[in-house]
Amino acid sequence: MALLQISEPGQSTAPHQHRYSAGIDLGTTNSLVASVRSGQAVILADINGEALLPSIVHYGTDRKLVGKAAQEMQLVDPLNSISSVKRLMGRGIEDVKQLGDVMPYIFITDKTSNVPRIQTATGNISAIEVSAEILKTLALQAEQSLGDNLAGVVITVPAYFDDAQRQATRDAAKLANLNVFRLLNEPTAAAVAYGLDQKHDGVIAVYDLGGGTFDISILRMNKGVFEVLATGGDSALGGDDMDHAIGEWILAQANFQSVDARLSRQVLIAARAAKEKLTKQDRVQITIENDEQQWQGRIDRDQFDGLIQPLVKKTLMLCRRVLRDANLSKQDISEVVMVGGSTRVPLVNQMVAEFFQRDLMSELDPDRVVAIGAAIQADVLAGNKPDSEMLLLDVLPLSLGIETMGGLSEKIISRNTPIPVTRAQEFTTYKDGQTSMSIHVVQGERELISDCRSLARFELSGFPPMTAGAARIKVSYQVDADGLMSVRAEEKKSGVAADIVVKPSYGLSDREIEKMLRDSMDYARDDISARMLIEQQVEAKRVIEAIDAALASDGDSLLSKPEFRKIKQARDKLQKEIQTACADKLKKSIRAMEKVSETYVARRMNASVKQALTGKQINQVKI
Amino acid sequence: MQILDLKQSYFELFGLDLTFEIDLKRLSSAQQRLQAVYHPDRFVNASEQDKRLSVQQASWINEAFETLSKPVKRARYMLELSGLELNDESETTSDTTFLMEQIALREEIEECRTNADPLGCCDHIMDKLRSKADQFGSEFIANFDQGQLDDARISSRKMQFIQRILEQLIDFQLELEEG
């Protein structure tokens, strides 16, 4: 339909060089996507106008559902409706056991992989694959809304995520076929969204209590630079735990005969609803009802506060720690930014305000602020703002160490070291002719290896054989700007680089990822048809925009009334079909629309050429 | 992309004079100016090679910043620049008075546990430690300026001891506050 868009002489139709990008908040409970459009960061809603995508995927026997549709399946089919997988990212089966009944699914582990899988009707699924589905849906939603492909995305993660959790997030993006500019820490994203760098130079605290994670970060602002001074938190503490506290309270009150997966899901849903209502009301009625059993009760704000107070206290303890790490006192903090849906809970606000002894910043929607900040950074990283001074400087959230004799951890890079960072260590061989060695890397603050998180074992081999103690093996540990670690090793005398095999403790191996990518090709047909539909929808919107513009400028002068009406009818039909029709039907309607307006296009051409000839620059009449 | 001269000293990198008493604000703004040029976020759309180079150079800038911003590390780096080889593990102090003082300090911290006002007790020791740190810092400067590198090394060693006790005390305080 390019013929409709005739530019005025002197006006260029060259597409502007804007590269589309998006910020994605991949949350425990809900996920969002945002983008900068006409200089403004906005949340991109789906075709039904929904901004929040519930982070739930339903795996049926013949199809996958993501978001609200999957949420609706939770009660009917709880075991195949997978939610809160963010808590499983980069985690092993022992961690899953520790989560207890938080995850009412059937977990499968086999000897070939370190990653626990959830048994579903579609097959055994890892948390990474579930996250990939959510990412795909959001990316599609964004492309649909922007009308173009995404050059890249920024995905947010809790600042306190360790290497394995970050790697799992990266892997999910890879499975979703997304180009990731950067993993961005959620608190930093929130500070960016508030535009705090514009407003003042100073030190701020970002208190981020989400569905499943808690983060506290201390940032220093200075002329567009966001410098993280220290970060702390708990990657398994959040609103979900409040739901469970209420859930357990309900179970204790109700004293049910037996509790199956469905009932416990029902109790959790009721608990969450009660929590949400208690942010505005002083008391709520709770009803649990299924075929055999039922219970009705009431909970008031004071009871609720009593249940969650230990949880909030735990977050304040972490605030105290992080202040110490930053070598600051409460008085040094000039603003406290509140992020995450769980900061809607009145007790949280009250206790945090008391702790920092100041008013809190919470005017932006705590559910949206992270995605908005991510979109702003994505726009800068896409190269759309060459003059931007914005720079986000981050730190390593947890110390990196290696296992030494006796099961102790020797720190290589301590927490809150600015990243990227590289540290090197020298080892020697202890046996004649030794050509290989193994390094076990862990993350955490504790002395014993067993109290830290195991990240990976690196098998280094291919050193030239030498007498014991003669070789000088330099091992370099590098953490990049995403907080992801890599290891390189070389024997310094011979200059021979080691071959390295990485055995991640809780992540997918490269081979597993490859296999998943191949497997996803099998589903690619679904994806292709979804993509085709979106392309046609976008095309239809373009056609309508073009015809509207044309009709407005010369429709009355170039068309008879019946002609005008006919074109208008075709246009309205197409408009209606954007929401409802399948890709093929939409394509036909677009063609029909084009056919109806053929004569009109020809007349516009003639008129335009005439005008241009009476004017001057024919070479500027672009069609 | 621009390539940094990795042979220059950390002081030269940040445009600072080679002295222990540096202006931390200047250090931090110089660090930000450099990262604004070399940080990987500035190379998101660059070639793989430039991306790698950027990570390396940004890492080096961060390492330099870490070293100069921490007094103990800064002192030891100055000694290294002057040609001393420092080896953490084999280094001990034979200054028995100093050692006795360290043991006494650790005992004092433990005794706070049974004190009627444990946090006040900690604050008191904290003040003492801070003034010790200042004292050894000045000692280091004097020794270094007079070219007494071995004595300067001993001062830096003492600074390190104090720093460790300080960290222990802070951990202990947190433990008390958290009950």
Side-chain angles (χ1 to χ4, degrees), chain A residues 596-613:
Chain A
V596 168
S597 40
E598 254 170 13
T599 351
Y600 179 35
V601 173
R603 279 183 212 158
R604 293 199 86 212
M605 274 290 292
N606 287 336
S608 157
V609 169
K610 227 181 274 167
Q611 196 187 20
L613 287 175

Side-chain angles (χ1 to χ4, degrees), chain A residues 19 179-182 220 222 225 227 317-318 320-321 324 327 377 380-383 388-394 410 414 416-423 478-481 488, chain B residues 28-29 31-32 34-37 39-45 51-52 54-60 62-63 65-67 70 73 89 130 167 170-172 174-175 177-179:
Chain A
R19 296 171 79 221
N179 175 32
V180 180
F181 287 149
R182 176 78 64 237
R220 185 166 51 206
N222 182 24
V225 180
E227 184 187 9
M317 230 146 76
L318 293 162
R320 201 173 281 135
R321 266 178 196 276
R324 183 207 65 175
N327 213 354
Q377 202 211 4
V380 172
L381 295 183
S388 169
E389 287 188 329
M390 192 171 94
L391 184 65
L392 313 182
L393 301 177
D394 239 310
E410 180 191 333
S414 40
N416 293 322
T417 299
I419 51 172
V421 64
T422 309
R423 291 274 160 85
Q478 183 173 73
V479 179
D480 68 13
R488 267 171 307 141
Chain B
S28 137
S29 58
Q31 134 98 349
Q32 294 187 354
L34 284 167
Q35 289 295 7
V37 177
H39 192 274
D41 276 358
R42 298 289 190 247
F43 297 88
V44 166
N45 304 302
K51 280 185 187 173
R52 262 199 307 277
S54 142
V55 175
Q56 276 169 21
Q57 309 206 61
S59 296
W60 192 67
N62 276 334
E63 187 64 36
F65 177 71
E66 271 287 287
T67 306
K70 306 263 163 75
K73 284 190 179 176
E89 263 135 60
R130 293 228 161 97
E167 279 163 17
I170 292 169
D171 277 337
F172 181 65
L174 269 176
E175 199 187 306
E177 281 174 39
E178 285 166 12

Side-chain angles (χ1 to χ4, degrees), chain A residues 515-569:
Chain A
K515 185 179 175 305
M516 283 180 184
L517 273 171
R518 263 202 316 274
D519 290 349
S520 69
M521 299 296 177
D522 300 342
Y523 291 104
R525 248 172 299 136
D526 298 349
D527 294 346
I528 286 171
S529 64
R531 186 165 286 274
M532 266 167 48
L533 175 61
I534 285 165
E535 278 169 10
Q536 292 306 323
Q537 284 171 336
V538 168
E539 180 59 20
K541 275 188 201 157
R542 271 200 204 122
V543 168
I544 288 173
E545 261 170 45
I547 197 86
D548 284 352
L551 287 177
S553 81
D554 53 21
D556 291 333
S557 56
L558 293 178
L559 294 169
S560 70
K561 279 225 170 89
E563 282 169 339
F564 192 104
R565 212 177 304 125
K566 222 171 146 194
I567 290 177
K568 191 85 193 350
Q569 267 167 7

Side-chain angles (χ1 to χ4, degrees), chain B residues 36-142:
Chain B
V37 177
Y38 293 99
H39 192 274
D41 276 358
R42 298 289 190 247
F43 297 88
V44 166
N45 304 302
S47 68
E48 284 306 312
Q49 194 195 342
D50 278 1
K51 280 185 187 173
R52 262 199 307 277
L53 266 174
S54 142
V55 175
Q56 276 169 21
Q57 309 206 61
S59 296
W60 192 67
I61 296 164
N62 276 334
E63 187 64 36
F65 177 71
E66 271 287 287
T67 306
L68 294 196
S69 59
K70 306 263 163 75
V72 175
K73 284 190 179 176
R74 189 192 318 138
R76 296 176 67 77
Y77 178 68
M78 288 172 68
L79 292 172
E80 277 175 356
L81 276 185
S82 313
L84 276 195
E85 264 194 49
L86 302 178
N87 188 339
D88 273 328
E89 263 135 60
S90 63
E91 254 184 278
T92 48
T93 174
S94 51
D95 185 336
T96 41
T97 326
F98 178 74
L99 281 176
M100 296 303 281
E101 270 177 29
Q102 300 314 299
I103 295 167
L105 273 167
R106 276 172 218 253
E107 280 169 1
E108 258 184 77
I109 295 177
E110 264 313 302
E111 278 160 18
C112 284
R113 224 181 260 281
T114 49
N115 194 298
D117 173 19
L119 284 174
C121 174
C122 284
D123 286 345
H124 176 70
I125 301 176
M126 185 70 80
D127 290 343
K128 209 164 19 179
L129 284 173
R130 293 228 161 97
S131 83
K132 285 255 175 228
D134 287 348
Q135 182 199 325
F136 294 132
S138 315
E139 214 180 279
F140 172 84
I141 297 168

